[in-house]
Amino acid sequence: VITIILGTIIANSVLEPFGITDLTFLNVPESLRPTLTLSNGEPRPWVVNPMGTERVLPSWAPVFAVPFAVGLTILGYLDQNLTEVIVNKKDRLLTKSPGYHLDLFV
């Protein structure tokens, strides 16, 4: 990581004036604010209304999202439990540390 940072500094400060490198920089706004502007010209609020800012969210959208949410919940549950079953097999002789179940707590 240090080598990458030092290499970037060297490339930026030494090689760029000679035109050897072609570094483009990210345009960063001067103030910390949401960059998306609404149709009235104001920046969007920090806390976004889940029912829509420019127009109202259709009433069928949350109903349409429920099966996908249930599917991803089942997928996450199975992933966690199947991984735990595979890792905790008796033939692996795993010794559990004090923080072993912290991932479930988090």
Side-chain angles (χ1 to χ4, degrees):
V1 174
I2 295 172
T3 306
I4 293 173
I5 293 171
L6 288 176
T8 304
I9 292 171
I10 290 170
N12 188 21
S13 60
V14 175
L15 301 176
E16 179 65 24
F18 299 110
I20 296 173
T21 60
D22 185 22
L23 296 176
T24 57
F25 295 98
L26 179 65
N27 293 329
V28 179
E30 293 182 14
S31 62
L32 182 62
R33 63 178 179 83
T35 55
L36 179 67
T37 55
L38 301 176
S39 61
N40 60 4
E42 296 178 3
R44 75 160 174 83
W46 281 102
V47 179
V48 179
N49 183 2
M51 296 311 284
T53 54
E54 294 284 324
R55 55 192 167 123
V56 179
L57 185 70
S59 59
W60 55 265
V63 176
F64 184 75
V66 166
F68 297 103
V70 170
L72 288 174
T73 302
I74 292 170
L75 183 67
Y77 177 78
L78 289 175
D79 175 49
Q80 175 67 35
N81 289 320
L82 291 177
T83 303
E84 189 171 340
V85 166
I86 291 170
V87 168
N88 290 336
K89 283 186 176 179
K90 295 280 186 194
D91 59 343
R92 298 199 189 277
L93 301 174
L94 180 69
T95 57
K96 296 180 181 179
S97 63
Y100 180 72
H101 291 291
L102 282 179
D103 62 336
L104 294 175
F105 177 70
V106 171

